Amino acid sequence: MASPSSLALLVVCAHGCAAPVQPELEAGPRMVPSRSAEARQPHRPAPVIEPVSVKPPSLLAVLDEADVNLIAVTEVDQFDHDDCRAKGARTWIVSAIDGRNEGATCLGDGASPPVCVMFAGADPAHVSRVMCKQRALARPVEVPAWAQDLFAAMRAVPATDLVWQLSPIQDAVRPSLAITVDEQLFVAIRADAGWLRTAEPVDQMMRLAGRRVLDTTPLTGTQSFGVITSSYSGGSGSGTETTTLTVLQPTEHGLASLATIQIGQFTWILASEDRKRYPKGAESLDARPHVEVQLAPRIEPGALVLAVERETIAKHLQGTCEPSSDDEAELDAPCILRELKAKAGRYKLVEGTFVR
């Protein structure tokens, strides 16, 4: 689970949120369902309508209006940077670059004018340090036109228990964002129609990340994008990071998922009795016994080509793949190596499925 200083996004929880809520894409009024028939007064058949709840402006709509290509939004941690927060108000740090490649990093609460310096990057820890501890050393700049609208959009969102993170996907053919809501990863891409977001998560688990966005139009025949994501699962004894390629197609309702295929896996195994043998394993998964296979995707007309880019296996994990039916089968490193390498090859997309 991410720290309390995680990024915030637009989410509406008028009566509390029992389950993760997807980022809002559109602004406008929303009707709250009428009360039940039992709650109506006798002999008055007309339903009682609760007051209309109006959604705050969509962050993606603001990005479209402001011509913003890259954005990172960090909510200031009240415990680590109390002197950086506006008194009695939630405060954010927004880093953005517009279509003219002009950028800034700004601190504000959406009510008073923000303070801005030269673009300081997108890493939450770094921009928090710059704006809350080293701002006097940073070069001040004029407040960009987009800043006040973005801070106002953030201020309009009520605080919730959901953990939000927003970060740019740096290796991308189009401006792209990875949006995590608790343990779900959504993706937003600036397509020809403006900023579009997936209606459903493209990945789910822990330690979610957007790695790369590539053009898959030659594969599908119409405009589409391939997004490479990674997610993590595991415990103290073992864990797995899975890398996935998902093909997304722009629609009038956002980005729709066409197909998904696994293109990588990193599984580490370290029993408690072996930890003294691998002292550096506490700091790096690579220093633990592990098996890894990563496939590199290449897009050709009508085809996806996967080639082995990297393969490693610890010496004492090597051997013959002997599939087991018990729960420990997933820790069979030789089987993991063989199965992932066998995915290399040439695929076509048939009715939402990759077929050799």
Side-chain angles (χ1 to χ4, degrees), residues 34-37 40-48:
S34 61
R35 298 171 182 168
S36 65
R40 301 173 191 163
Q41 297 182 4
H43 312 300
R44 290 196 177 187
V48 177

Side-chain angles (χ1 to χ4, degrees), residues 5-21:
S5 61
S6 298
L7 310 176
L9 267 185
L10 298 185
V11 58
V12 178
C13 292
H15 305 288
C17 294
V21 178

Side-chain angles (χ1 to χ4, degrees), residues 162-178:
L162 296 178
V163 177
W164 293 82
Q165 290 186 335
L166 181 152
S167 57
I169 301 175
Q170 301 288 1
D171 186 3
V173 294
R174 294 283 187 99
S176 305
L177 300 172

Side-chain angles (χ1 to χ4, degrees), residues 148-165:
Q148 194 60 51
D149 288 340
L150 287 175
F151 281 112
M154 299 306 301
R155 181 181 174 85
V157 181
T160 74
D161 292 333
L162 296 178
V163 177
W164 293 82
Q165 290 186 335

Side-chain angles (χ1 to χ4, degrees), residues 65-330:
E65 183 69 22
D67 190 28
V68 170
N69 281 342
L70 179 150
I71 181 174
V73 182
T74 304
E75 184 166 359
V76 176
D77 190 320
Q78 62 177 325
F79 301 105
D80 294 340
H81 303 292
D82 190 54
D83 57 340
C84 188
R85 289 169 61 95
K87 188 174 182 179
R90 298 168 67 203
T91 306
W92 296 272
I93 299 171
V94 175
S95 286
I97 296 176
D98 62 21
R100 297 178 297 280
N101 206 33
E102 297 177 356
T105 298
C106 302
L107 174 74
D109 62 1
S112 54
V115 176
C116 302
V117 302
M118 181 179 292
F119 181 78
D123 178 71
H126 176 69
V127 297
S128 293
R129 185 167 58 251
V130 169
M131 296 305 292
C132 298
K133 294 184 178 181
Q134 304 171 345
R135 198 179 343 144
L137 303 177
R139 176 181 172 182
V141 297
E142 293 185 4
V143 177
W146 48 258
Q148 194 60 51
D149 288 340
L150 287 175
F151 281 112
M154 299 306 301
R155 181 181 174 85
V157 181
T160 74
D161 292 333
L162 296 178
V163 177
W164 293 82
Q165 290 186 335
L166 181 152
S167 57
I169 301 175
Q170 301 288 1
D171 186 3
V173 294
R174 294 283 187 99
S176 305
L177 300 172
I179 306 166
T180 59
V181 187
D182 283 343
E183 296 178 358
Q184 299 183 92
L185 174 63
F186 300 82
V187 171
I189 298 174
R190 193 169 186 183
D192 295 343
W195 280 97
L196 299 176
R197 194 218 63 189
T198 55
E200 300 294 334
V202 298
D203 209 339
Q204 301 183 71
M205 197 59 74
M206 297 185 298
R207 302 184 191 177
L208 295 156
R211 302 296 184 187
R212 182 185 174 193
V213 174
L214 55 152
D215 185 4
T216 54
T217 300
L219 170 67
T220 59
T222 58
Q223 187 182 47
S224 64
F225 304 98
V227 57
I228 297 176
T229 60
S230 65
S231 59
Y232 171 89
S233 65
S236 59
S238 64
T240 293
E241 182 183 44
T242 303
T243 306
T244 304
L245 170 65
T246 302
V247 178
L248 303 172
Q249 191 167 51
T251 72
E252 59 180 347
H253 303 295
L255 294 172
S257 176
L258 294 182
T260 297
I261 188 171
Q262 181 183 354
I263 62 171
Q265 181 170 324
F266 180 105
T267 295
W268 57 267
I269 307 163
L270 184 60
S272 57
E273 60 269 19
D274 293 334
R275 291 180 180 178
K276 290 184 178 180
R277 296 173 54 192
Y278 303 94
K280 295 183 179 180
E283 301 176 357
S284 171
L285 295 180
D286 289 303
R288 302 183 180 192
H290 66 273
V291 57
E292 178 185 21
V293 177
Q294 296 295 331
L295 305 177
R298 186 174 74 252
I299 307 301
E300 296 183 356
L304 165 67
V305 181
L306 298 179
V308 176
E309 180 180 47
R310 185 168 62 255
E311 61 170 298
T312 61
I313 186 170
K315 288 183 178 180
H316 78 275
L317 297 179
Q318 296 177 3
T320 303
C321 173
E322 298 179 357
S324 173
S325 59
D326 59 28
D327 294 337
E328 295 299 319
E330 61 179 307

